[in-house]
Amino acid sequence: MSHTRRSVLAAVGSGVALTAGCLGAPGSDGTQSVSLLLNWTPNGLHVPYYAAKQQGFYEEAGVEVTEIVSGDGSDFSARQAGRGNNEFGVTSSDQVLLTAGGGIDVQSVGVMMQQSPNVVFSTREAFGGELNDPEQLAGKTVGTGPGMVRMLTELYLEATGVRSEVELVDTGYDTVQRLLAGEVDAAGGVFGDAIDARYQGATVDSLGVATEVPSYGHVLATAPSFAEENPETVNAFLEGTARGAAWATNNREAGVDALVEANGSISEVREQARATWDTLADEHIVGPAVEEHGWGWHSSEPWTTMADALESADSGEVADPSTVWTNDHLDTDAEYIGDYTEQIQ
């Protein structure tokens, strides 16, 4: 990888969260204005929000998203949403559970990633061949970073019956590079890590953690008090987001255009951003709950799975998983919610 490309990737991955202004103020047409705090710096995982904003879908649904703010981790976005510093935050189920358990009232109102982005992956060079079955991991060294990635990797290894035969090591935040250097045989991460390794020239194979461990990826959170006081705004935000996801699924290049237009530095890693969006759109947004109920729908099992994992790992005070999510603001009569699967090509 060139020095320029590495510099751009580093810049894209190290942004500092900004402070939103004029929260909750009425828009120019009387609709409420809100801000969305991302979980990290903008990348291919955030295409739906930029597409919805660029195409005017939020306004058509009845809410004005004044800004999409670069984030500083799912824990930060969960806290900011719970405190009302940003009306909405892109975060994760583990951080919603821990944030609510720690006394900041926050709740998930929609699921963007029905299937967890976590994978166990390797390169043909490091593994000595193709990885296509978890039983092949027996006798191997698997590296992971901290937190949820490690927990879900361990749960996957246990569910597939190979945990006792795998040496699980901490690779910090350099998992991809240590895999590429041959220091570990395989790695636990998210599919973006596998894409990163592929764009550094490796041939990569991945096993999806969600096939064995029901768990969510990105969820959309807000303060329950804000949702109670502004139900129409929350409904509109979710409808606009769902429409943005459907439109960008059907218009892949244009969806990435919206992301790049708002974040010029991504132009240098556009191809990788497109690969990330393709993977999200094709493999993670739709699941059985979406097919049965509609876009964004929550089910209890992934929340219980995550709560149990956090408690087993002594991660901190964990909220009752039945209290941290709701489907009340998903209007299944809206075509891009209730009929989401019919809207995508």
Side-chain angles (χ1 to χ4, degrees), residues 4-5 45 50 56 58 82 134 239 282 341:
T4 299
R5 182 179 174 81
L45 299 177
Y50 287 99
Y58 286 125
E239 183 179 346
D282 292 337
T341 57

Side-chain angles (χ1 to χ4, degrees), residues 295-319:
W295 178 90
W297 197 262
H298 302 82
S299 300
S300 61
E301 186 178 8
W303 288 99
T304 302
T305 297
M306 183 53 63
D308 290 345
L310 291 168
E311 289 174 349
S312 297
D314 293 325
S315 300
E317 191 68 28
V318 180

Side-chain angles (χ1 to χ4, degrees), residues 97-177:
L97 286 159
L98 291 172
T99 299
I104 298 175
D105 203 8
V106 66
Q107 190 173 55
S108 174
V109 290
V111 180
M112 176 58 78
M113 288 189 193
Q114 292 283 335
Q115 304 294 328
S116 167
N118 287 80
V119 295
V120 175
F121 67 104
S122 190
T123 68
R124 302 281 174 90
E125 297 81 4
F127 204 71
E130 182 179 0
L131 171 63
N132 55 30
D133 191 305
E135 292 185 1
Q136 295 173 269
L137 296 169
K140 302 291 188 180
T141 299
V142 177
T144 77
M148 182 179 68
V149 167
R150 184 179 180 87
M151 284 190 293
L152 288 176
T153 299
E154 191 155 16
L155 286 175
Y156 177 77
L157 295 174
E158 290 173 354
T160 54
V162 297
R163 175 65 186 92
S164 62
E165 301 176 76
V166 170
E167 181 184 2
L168 194 61
V169 300
D170 182 5
T171 46
Y173 295 100
D174 296 318
T175 301
V176 172
Q177 296 309 316

Side-chain angles (χ1 to χ4, degrees), residues 91-275:
T91 183
S92 57
S93 58
D94 61 312
Q95 294 305 326
V96 170
L97 286 159
L98 291 172
T99 299
I104 298 175
D105 203 8
V106 66
Q107 190 173 55
S108 174
V109 290
V111 180
M112 176 58 78
M113 288 189 193
Q114 292 283 335
Q115 304 294 328
S116 167
N118 287 80
V119 295
V120 175
F121 67 104
S122 190
T123 68
R124 302 281 174 90
E125 297 81 4
F127 204 71
E130 182 179 0
L131 171 63
N132 55 30
D133 191 305
E135 292 185 1
Q136 295 173 269
L137 296 169
K140 302 291 188 180
T141 299
V142 177
T144 77
M148 182 179 68
V149 167
R150 184 179 180 87
M151 284 190 293
L152 288 176
T153 299
E154 191 155 16
L155 286 175
Y156 177 77
L157 295 174
E158 290 173 354
T160 54
V162 297
R163 175 65 186 92
S164 62
E165 301 176 76
V166 170
E167 181 184 2
L168 194 61
V169 300
D170 182 5
T171 46
Y173 295 100
D174 296 318
T175 301
V176 172
Q177 296 309 316
R178 293 184 66 176
L179 175 64
L180 293 174
E183 296 177 21
V184 293
D185 300 311
V190 295
F191 66 73
D193 297 325
I195 291 172
D196 185 12
R198 176 156 58 89
Y199 274 87
Q200 293 190 53
T203 301
V204 180
D205 301 302
S206 299
L207 304 171
V209 167
T211 60
E212 300 291 338
V213 183
S215 53
Y216 291 135
H218 291 179
V219 299
L220 294 166
T222 191
S225 58
F226 177 80
E228 183 178 350
E229 295 168 7
N230 305 277
E232 293 182 357
T233 297
V234 179
N235 293 8
F237 173 77
L238 294 172
E239 183 179 346
T241 299
R243 188 175 177 187
W247 181 85
T249 297
N250 296 336
N251 301 275
R252 303 296 176 96
E253 281 296 305
V256 177
D257 282 344
L259 173 70
V260 173
E261 180 180 301
N263 305 277
S265 62
I266 297 178
S267 62
E268 294 192 40
V269 289
R270 180 196 174 88
E271 187 179 350
Q272 188 167 334
R274 167 66 193 267

